[in-house]
Amino acid sequence: MVLKGTHGTCASFAEDIRNSGFSFGPGRRGKGVYFWGYSGANKEYATALAKAWWAQAKAIRKYDAASDQDCNVLHVDIKPEEGCLLDLEELVMKQTLLQFLNDIHKRSLPKDRASLTEKAYDLFVHMLEKQLNKKFDVIYTTVNPPKTDFWDKRDRFPGFDIIGMAPCYVVKNTGCIFLMQ
């Protein structure tokens, strides 16, 4: 199985990735390396998502320390081991996750909810891994795309505003990421 993804970042960070590989970071769906997922026909959309992500990150000054803050979109092949892709969008899995998140949020204070959700995703995956006695290399999920303010108007296409949540791969094993040239 080969999954396709894009990752938007600044040129300096892209160079670091080319030299040293990807590193884990926090995110909306737990720790990992995040890619906008696509299959053949969706490559344009995934590239536009990566560019918009870069623009949003630049606006909140994530690249201030970088010498070259220009946009770079990295295209990757993601090759998880057989049976090591967890699909959180599959209906039963999504409903199980929703119940798990609801149970956790009922016990938390409102101010803790954003970071709690990130931790809850990690905990949910960890519990599944323990229950199934396997490690997941990649999690397939969806996330909100960057705000429309950060999209280049040339990257918008008919239906852009109604697509909703965007496909995303959260890679937990960097050994299955292969950078395309």
Side-chain angles (χ1 to χ4, degrees):
M1 169 187 310
V2 178
L3 310 169
K4 302 281 189 186
T6 63
H7 184 86
T9 190
C10 72
S12 292
F13 291 2
E15 188 60 31
D16 291 344
I17 291 168
R18 285 184 190 95
N19 292 332
S20 304
F22 287 93
S23 57
F24 290 145
R28 302 174 192 177
R29 302 295 185 260
K31 289 182 182 165
V33 183
Y34 282 69
F35 298 95
W36 299 107
Y38 71 92
S39 61
N42 309 44
K43 186 174 183 179
E44 269 183 58
Y45 179 54
T47 301
L49 282 163
K51 289 177 184 177
W53 178 259
W54 162 84
Q56 184 171 296
K58 186 173 184 200
I60 61 172
R61 307 179 67 109
K62 284 196 172 199
Y63 306 129
D64 279 0
S67 59
D68 187 345
Q69 297 182 14
D70 289 345
C71 181
N72 242 233
V73 176
L74 302 172
H75 292 265
V76 299
D77 282 345
I78 305 164
K79 301 176 184 177
E81 291 293 322
E82 182 73 31
C84 294
L85 169 68
L86 174 60
D87 183 352
L88 291 180
E89 295 303 308
E90 185 271 325
L91 183 60
V92 172
M93 186 61 64
K94 192 168 195 160
Q95 290 173 340
T96 304
L97 173 62
L98 179 62
Q99 184 63 53
F100 180 80
L101 293 173
N102 283 337
D103 290 346
I104 285 181
H105 280 274
K106 285 178 188 173
R107 298 183 208 132
S108 70
L109 299 173
K111 65 179 180 156
D112 300 324
R113 291 196 173 171
S115 69
L116 180 64
T117 299
E118 293 170 17
K119 292 174 185 171
Y121 269 90
D122 284 335
L123 180 59
F124 182 78
V125 171
H126 176 73
M127 289 172 56
L128 275 177
E129 288 175 333
K130 193 170 184 174
Q131 180 183 1
L132 300 171
N133 196 31
K134 68 161 58 176
K135 284 284 202 190
F136 292 107
D137 292 337
V138 179
I139 312 300
Y140 171 70
T141 188
T142 57
V143 297
N144 289 321
K147 296 177 183 174
T148 53
D149 302 356
F150 300 105
W151 287 74
D152 185 318
K153 288 180 180 21
R154 295 171 294 187
D155 289 333
R156 294 185 189 178
F157 48 87
F160 163 81
D161 293 334
I162 62 171
I163 290 175
M165 301 285 274
C168 179
Y169 295 117
V170 182
V171 177
K172 303 287 191 176
N173 172 7
T174 58
C176 66
I177 302 170
F178 298 89
L179 198 56
M180 305 306 292
Q181 298 302 332

